[in-house]
Amino acid sequence: MTRILFTVVLTLITTSFNLAAYGNPLTAIDRIPRIVSPVQFPQSKWRLVRHTFQINIPQGSNALSQLSIGVPQGLTVSNSISVFDKSGNIIANSISKDGKKVTISFAEPVAPGNRLKVVMKNVKIIGRSNAWLYPVSAKLIGMNAAIPLGLARFRVYF
């Protein structure tokens, strides 16, 4: 009996010590643009919606010259696409569509420390999904290939 009691007490003591794991922040994240705050309006089953997402360009990054957005199956994106900087000013760009891919080329590279807001109006929903995933990649000054930034994920609540 004392052996079982001793085992239980020892187990409780060892599990009660919570050793904290301390880590260092990832500095590589501070050099790569990333997608933040995707929003669909309205959040319903409407057939025409607006998809908006932002791209944060950190200070340690290179300037951004081009964005490529893959359009998921079940959606059709119109030519009504606007890009704004963090002050709300429209950024001069040219937009080209090639099948299910939208390419936004900027007249002047977008400097680090900025935040882009991409607004796609009149997105037509043809299919059905609980989440629409747009693969987004960017071309940075000084790099030959496009860098994948991730997925702009739009959740739909019914």
Side-chain angles (χ1 to χ4, degrees), residues 39-122:
V39 175
Q40 173 178 310
F41 181 79
Q43 279 283 339
S44 65
K45 293 193 240 183
W46 285 25
R47 291 291 170 209
L48 282 177
V49 295
R50 179 180 66 220
H51 283 166
T52 303
F53 64 93
Q54 296 182 24
I55 297 176
N56 187 33
I57 308 169
Q59 283 292 347
S61 173
N62 293 350
L64 192 137
S65 64
Q66 188 179 65
L67 279 178
S68 295
I69 304 168
V71 180
Q73 291 289 67
L75 295 180
T76 303
V77 176
S78 71
N79 288 333
S80 182
I81 299 173
S82 304
V83 182
F84 301 92
D85 64 6
K86 65 181 176 184
S87 302
N89 301 321
I90 292 180
I91 296 177
N93 60 55
S94 64
I95 298 171
S96 64
K97 288 175 42 177
D98 180 24
K100 287 289 193 178
K101 183 179 177 183
V102 176
T103 303
I104 304 171
S105 300
F106 300 107
E108 293 183 22
V110 181
N114 210 333
R115 180 175 274 203
L116 297 180
K117 181 178 183 181
V118 179
V119 179
M120 298 182 288
K121 295 181 183 174
N122 300 325

Side-chain angles (χ1 to χ4, degrees), residues 120-152:
M120 298 182 288
K121 295 181 183 174
N122 300 325
V123 176
K124 187 174 184 181
I125 299 176
I126 302 166
R128 186 169 172 89
S129 178
N130 289 336
W132 300 106
L133 305 174
Y134 291 87
V136 179
S137 59
K139 280 194 176 177
L140 302 175
I141 299 297
M143 296 185 170
N144 296 333
I147 297 174
L149 301 182
L151 297 170

